[in-house]
Amino acid sequence: MTFPKQVTLVEVSPRDGLQNEKAIVPTAVKIELINRLADTGLTVIEATSFVSAKRIPQLADASAVWQGIKKRPTVRYPVLIPNLAGLENALAVGVKEIAVFTTPSEQFSQKNTHCSVTESLQRIEKVTQLAKQHGLPIRGYVSCVLGCPYEGEIAAEKVATLSKTLMALGCDEISLGDTIGVGTPNKTQQLIECVAAQVPIKKLAVHFHDTYGQALANIYVALLCGVSVIDSAAGGLGGCPYAVGASGNVATEDVLYMLNGMGIETGVDMQKLLGVVAFIARELGKAPVSRVYRALQ
Amino acid sequence: MTFPKQVTLVEVSPRDGLQNEKAIVPTAVKIELINRLADTGLTVIEATSFVSAKRIPQLADASAVWQGIKKRPTVRYPVLIPNLAGLENALAVGVKEIAVFTTPSEQFSQKNTHCSVTESLQRIEKVTQLAKQHGLPIRGYVSCVLGCPYEGEIAAEKVATLSKTLMALGCDEISLGDTIGVGTPNKTQQLIECVAAQVPIKKLAVHFHDTYGQALANIYVALLCGVSVIDSAAGGLGGCPYAVGASGNVATEDVLYMLNGMGIETGVDMQKLLGVVAFIARELGKAPVSRVYRALQ
């Protein structure tokens, strides 16, 4: 069996991790979190989302966070963009890379973004057109790829078609999100193989939530399929406020432990990462849920 | 990729799960736990250990537990046997199946059983000889197969040689134990392939602790290698009192969720199993650590 020699970890804790926290995290803490994450060797850190402050008050400080972080030349700091207004705000502060999102589930789309899947693609097209004019790389998130809290099973072909459409709209990478964590290894393999028939495997990332403890087994399968970009969140922070049963993202330190054991390079320092987990846990007043943190702290 | 169509789950919570609990669990609770586990569809439940009461006071009631459980004809109730005296006590109450244990790590052997590996094999030989005279099936546990808290890395060849020796001494099955949970998928694969060159794969079981969250990924790999017997503990109970950093066994419900998702039959009912987890958690006054329990309770 062959695996990628190197994996890029896309750290999503500052955005996907924090957006679910009820108590507003001070902007300075968010900035320090991102700077500390960059110190660990992570090369891609999703910094925030330029979403309506009314929709997600936690991320109302997107511009201030973006402007406050110390930009390392070797680190990419993408931000999530829900619509054209968000992109305009992001461009105004000099954002260099963005992400957009949609889902194959009509019901999830309605609950999460109050529009149909087709309408979400129309929104995305406006965003990608302007982003491309500014030369920004674009990541496309596809949510609920292995199951939807409202619709149940999702056909892999729908995910593949949607992923291809996102690429046609200008996305450079597709992140396949198991938003509610219901995926298991064989279904993960079938999904990735189905999507990889439409989108080159090198353009695919995986984004697992560890709701049922399946994330690492699924990531192992994704590696077997040739995927070399993995989303994760330090301390297993996060979840989706609009998805019932969506507990935290897979913890970066749990993924890193597996990749280290497999001899796959990431450039990330475990001890420094555990230090960041301790920092954000202190700030949030919560004990980290990851097994690796609890074993190694 | 092919997988076993059916997997036997060996439930170890009554022994490996409870032996680490400081407060003595009443005998009646242990009996009820085992009877409830049998109600879920589990077909192998390690009931107790006939160990010295001085060494592990929690298991001083081994005879009473064994005699108290309602024996279903379709369920096997093996017990752990450390020495000849333990086997004699087990035979006195009519035990039908036993397990013995050793390790390739000299230092772990000394700390865990106060004897060398060679001496432990001499003890085991006395036990297996008498057990065979009584026609008892024997399982051999090999501890620390993917790492030792005192010696660090353990060569797969040592595990393979020891497993072969245990088979020669009369064991019918070998359970490979990652006692401190440090295993990762590729090392697991290498280990199983190395051992399977000496012992038929159908005679191998895997026993993972989820200390670093790697258990399900490793179990997936074991399934890929053709292993069809998996040890686990309801609620992720347990650990090893003599191994630093050895947190709980992989949770039966987490394993079951993966196997169900892969279409692999076990005969175990998830809802009934979660009921047992709730029962023992209440009795121990502890919240279960498994992701599946927290998501589905």
Side-chain angles (χ1 to χ4, degrees):
Chain A
M1 294 198 272
T2 57
F3 299 91
K5 284 183 183 162
Q6 198 169 358
V7 154
T8 301
L9 292 174
V10 175
E11 175 63 34
V12 299
S13 61
R15 196 277 305 170
D16 198 17
L18 294 183
Q19 74 174 21
N20 211 17
E21 293 295 323
K22 281 180 189 163
I24 299 294
V25 178
T27 304
V29 171
K30 293 174 184 169
I31 291 169
E32 187 170 351
L33 171 63
I34 296 166
N35 289 342
R36 284 180 181 235
L37 287 167
D39 288 341
T40 67
L42 285 160
T43 55
V44 188
I45 304 168
E46 195 175 73
T48 184
S49 173
F50 285 78
V51 67
S52 145
K54 202 171 138 200
R55 287 268 295 157
I56 306 185
Q58 182 65 264
L59 301 178
D61 58 0
S63 294
V65 168
W66 169 261
Q67 290 175 304
I69 52 179
K70 181 182 158 191
K71 313 285 189 313
R72 284 176 177 255
T74 52
V75 178
R76 293 152 52 197
Y77 302 92
V79 301
L80 194 66
I81 298 292
N83 50 36
L84 203 55
L87 178 58
E88 284 161 356
N89 291 337
L91 288 168
V93 293
V95 158
K96 300 279 185 291
E97 186 169 342
I98 66 164
V100 295
F101 56 93
T102 185
T103 173
S105 162
E106 276 300 335
Q107 287 188 50
F108 190 79
S109 185
Q110 289 292 350
K111 301 254 185 186
N112 195 29
T113 47
H114 305 290
C115 68
S116 69
V117 175
T118 303
E119 287 164 342
S120 101
L121 290 171
Q122 288 162 353
R123 278 188 203 174
I124 285 172
E125 187 166 16
K126 289 179 191 163
V127 170
T128 57
Q129 280 179 349
L130 181 58
K132 283 291 162 201
Q133 287 170 26
H134 289 265
L136 307 191
I138 306 165
R139 158 178 259 220
Y141 280 108
V142 185
S143 299
C144 297
V145 295
L146 284 158
C148 166
Y150 314 111
E151 295 189 7
E153 290 213 11
I154 297 291
E157 292 72 19
K158 283 175 79 172
V159 179
T161 303
L162 191 59
S163 300
K164 193 180 177 184
T165 302
L166 286 172
M167 293 296 285
L169 291 177
C171 288
D172 303 285
E173 179 175 276
I174 302 295
S175 174
L176 300 171
D178 182 13
T179 312
I180 56 171
V182 293
T184 43
N186 290 1
K187 290 176 187 167
T188 297
Q189 186 186 349
Q190 287 155 14
L191 173 75
I192 293 173
E193 287 176 355
C194 182
V195 178
Q198 302 290 336
V199 176
I201 193 82
K202 292 288 166 211
K203 300 287 185 185
L204 294 181
V206 289
H207 181 112
F208 284 103
H209 284 227
D210 209 20
T211 321
Y212 299 91
Q214 309 295 309
L216 284 193
N218 293 335
I219 288 171
Y220 175 80
V221 169
L223 293 167
L224 263 182
C225 292
V227 170
S228 60
V229 182
I230 299 170
D231 298 5
S232 61
L237 288 177
C240 173
Y242 306 106
V244 177
S247 78
N249 289 280
V250 65
T252 307
E253 58 272 27
D254 287 0
V255 178
L256 183 60
Y257 191 94
M258 185 172 83
L259 296 176
N260 284 346
M262 295 174 72
I264 295 174
E265 285 175 28
T266 61
V268 180
D269 183 288
M270 177 66 89
Q271 285 310 313
K272 286 183 181 171
L273 178 62
L274 294 177
V276 184
V277 174
F279 161 76
I280 193 64
R282 258 194 326 269
E283 293 293 338
L284 298 177
K286 288 183 179 183
V289 295
S290 85
R291 311 251 181 212
V292 166
Y293 180 82
R294 285 185 291 172
L296 291 181
Q297 66 178 309
Chain B
M1 293 198 273
T2 57
F3 299 92
K5 283 182 183 162
Q6 197 169 358
V7 154
T8 300
L9 292 174
V10 175
E11 174 63 35
V12 299
S13 61
R15 197 277 305 171
D16 198 16
L18 294 183
Q19 72 174 21
N20 212 16
E21 293 295 322
K22 282 183 188 160
I24 300 295
V25 179
T27 304
V29 171
K30 293 175 184 169
I31 291 169
E32 186 169 352
L33 171 63
I34 295 167
N35 289 341
R36 284 180 181 235
L37 287 167
D39 287 342
T40 68
L42 285 160
T43 55
V44 189
I45 305 169
E46 194 174 73
T48 184
S49 173
F50 284 78
V51 67
S52 145
K54 202 171 137 198
R55 287 267 296 157
I56 306 185
Q58 183 64 265
L59 302 178
D61 57 0
S63 294
V65 168
W66 169 261
Q67 290 176 303
I69 52 180
K70 181 182 158 192
K71 313 285 189 313
R72 284 176 178 256
T74 52
V75 178
R76 294 153 50 200
Y77 302 91
V79 300
L80 194 67
I81 298 292
N83 51 36
L84 203 54
L87 179 56
E88 284 161 355
N89 291 336
L91 287 169
V93 292
V95 158
K96 299 279 186 290
E97 187 170 341
I98 67 164
V100 295
F101 57 92
T102 186
T103 171
S105 162
E106 277 299 335
Q107 287 188 50
F108 190 78
S109 185
Q110 290 291 349
K111 302 252 186 189
N112 195 29
T113 48
H114 305 292
C115 69
S116 68
V117 174
T118 303
E119 286 164 341
S120 100
L121 290 171
Q122 289 163 354
R123 279 188 203 174
I124 286 173
E125 187 167 15
K126 288 179 190 163
V127 169
T128 56
Q129 279 181 350
L130 181 58
K132 283 292 161 199
Q133 286 171 25
H134 289 264
L136 306 190
I138 306 165
R139 157 178 260 220
Y141 280 109
V142 184
S143 299
C144 296
V145 296
L146 284 158
C148 167
Y150 314 110
E151 295 189 7
E153 290 213 11
I154 297 290
E157 291 74 19
K158 284 175 78 172
V159 179
T161 302
L162 192 58
S163 300
K164 193 180 177 187
T165 301
L166 286 172
M167 294 297 283
L169 290 178
C171 287
D172 302 286
E173 179 175 276
I174 303 296
S175 174
L176 300 171
D178 182 14
T179 311
I180 56 171
V182 293
T184 43
N186 291 1
K187 289 176 187 167
T188 298
Q189 185 186 351
Q190 287 155 14
L191 173 74
I192 292 173
E193 288 175 355
C194 183
V195 178
Q198 303 289 335
V199 176
I201 193 84
K202 291 289 165 211
K203 300 287 184 183
L204 294 181
V206 289
H207 181 112
F208 284 104
H209 284 228
D210 209 20
T211 321
Y212 300 90
Q214 309 294 307
L216 284 193
N218 293 336
I219 288 171
Y220 174 81
V221 169
L223 293 167
L224 262 183
C225 292
V227 170
S228 60
V229 182
I230 300 169
D231 298 4
S232 61
L237 288 177
C240 173
Y242 306 107
V244 177
S247 77
N249 291 279
V250 66
T252 307
E253 57 273 27
D254 288 359
V255 178
L256 183 61
Y257 190 94
M258 185 173 84
L259 296 175
N260 284 345
M262 295 174 72
I264 295 174
E265 287 174 27
T266 61
V268 180
D269 183 286
M270 177 67 89
Q271 286 310 312
K272 286 184 182 172
L273 178 63
L274 294 176
V276 184
V277 174
F279 161 75
I280 193 63
R282 258 194 326 271
E283 293 292 339
L284 298 177
K286 288 183 179 181
V289 295
S290 85
R291 311 253 182 211
V292 166
Y293 180 82
R294 286 185 290 172
L296 291 181
Q297 65 176 312

